[in-house]
Amino acid sequence: MTHSASTDTALPDSYSQIRAQFPTLSQMLGDYPLCYLDTAATSQKPQSVLDAMAQYYLNDNANVHRAAHQLSARATSNYEKVRDELQGFINAKCREEIIFTHGTTESINLVAYGLTPQVAAGDLILIDTAAHHANIVPWQELAKRTSAIIKPIPLDQDGRLDLHAYQALLALKPKIVALCHVSNALGTVNPVVELVQQAKAQGAITLVDGAQAVAHLSLDMAAIDCDFYVFSGHKMYGPTGIGVLYGRFDKLDTLTPLLTGGEMIKRVSFDGTEFGSLPNRLEAGTPPISEVIGLGAAIRFLQQYLTPAVQAHEAELLQYLQQQLRTLGDVHLYAAHSDNLGAVAFNLGDEHHQDVGILLDQQGVAVRCGHHCAMPLMQSLNLKGCCRASIGIYTNKADIDRFIAALASVKELLL
């Protein structure tokens, strides 16, 4: 394979333009320029996102909805515009299917709590073994409240979801099926359209964690057809503290609100309270206004730059990263398939992942080390943890070459 040559020449103009928009990437760490390979944990932010948030605080800082003055009117208009942009961005049927939260974790908790009245003792909840803790623990808490039963969907020998085991579990008529679109630890991609279709055929409520997919794929809720889909702004070049819960309107409208008070009410008296309609009913209190506005800028950034050519280039970069790690030798790769997205999980020999990460950091290379909020996955792989190198739209071949050179020096020191 000749990834190196083609990666050198692919999209040089657009990539230099893209990278130049991320001010964090131009800094030095000691004597080394930053080599950022931790995008799966959080992406860097383009200047347009920073500017949009600053513009709000400098000129439009006011609470949204209901106020009569001009600052609030401008803030409300910009805030609600992002809901419309998200509807188009993920191809939702209506704007009321977009709920703002503080992140993927809150989005899943909102659904898991909201479904409590619909779950009975003995109901089965299926969870992807490769799931992030945020897509495990809320379901465990739901099971505690209702005496439901949790069963993990196992992985096959290639580190992918075991489709035969999945079929067997679906035959048990689960109430809820919780999947990840892309594994945050491994970068493996689930065939979510097929998995959701099969789960719905058995009458299951379906939720897909798309936190690791949203910055790499074009999302189409009509095609995926899940009941709920969740993601975070900070994984898609937007700010922290903002997440999205997409839900089919009829499913969202049945959720018991996790939070109450403030914006989500229609009428309150000491005789009782009447909740408002969607989306307000699931958005209690003052929302993360500047973060929503920053998310809107991130959406516009992705719509401009995440083209099919850029997606193909990013996929090629990941394959080049996998290839170079294999070539280095004494590196264990986990579920490193050619169709993975965004991340490579590895260990260097028998060395502790944290030692490797610290030594890489001393050369300006940022990777993630640990269990990646996926302890059940690590247990299934018989690992205490691993290193993860992850790429984004701004990553280039020079980053990967620097990482490999730094890892080679770590290997020389430790092995």
Side-chain angles (χ1 to χ4, degrees), residues 133 192 196 333:
H133 295 164
V192 291
V196 167
L333 296 178

Side-chain angles (χ1 to χ4, degrees), residues 310-392:
V310 168
Q311 289 172 315
H313 180 71
E314 195 177 278
E316 187 178 7
L317 266 182
L318 191 73
Q319 291 176 37
Y320 177 68
L321 172 56
Q322 293 171 343
Q323 178 196 47
Q324 293 300 99
L325 284 168
R326 291 187 180 103
T327 300
L328 182 62
D330 295 306
V331 174
H332 306 292
L333 296 178
Y334 307 107
H337 306 297
S338 62
D339 61 346
N340 283 9
L341 281 178
V344 177
F346 69 95
N347 273 318
L348 177 64
D350 295 326
E351 300 301 319
H352 196 282
H353 48 272
Q354 199 69 29
D355 294 338
V356 174
I358 290 170
L359 291 170
L360 288 172
D361 177 62
Q362 291 174 0
Q363 300 179 66
V365 178
V367 300
R368 183 69 41 165
C369 303
H371 53 67
H372 312 293
C373 295
M375 286 185 178
L377 171 62
M378 293 297 118
Q379 291 164 4
S380 74
L381 297 173
N382 198 28
L383 296 174
K384 292 182 178 178
C386 65
C387 302
R388 182 189 67 194
S390 55
I391 67 173

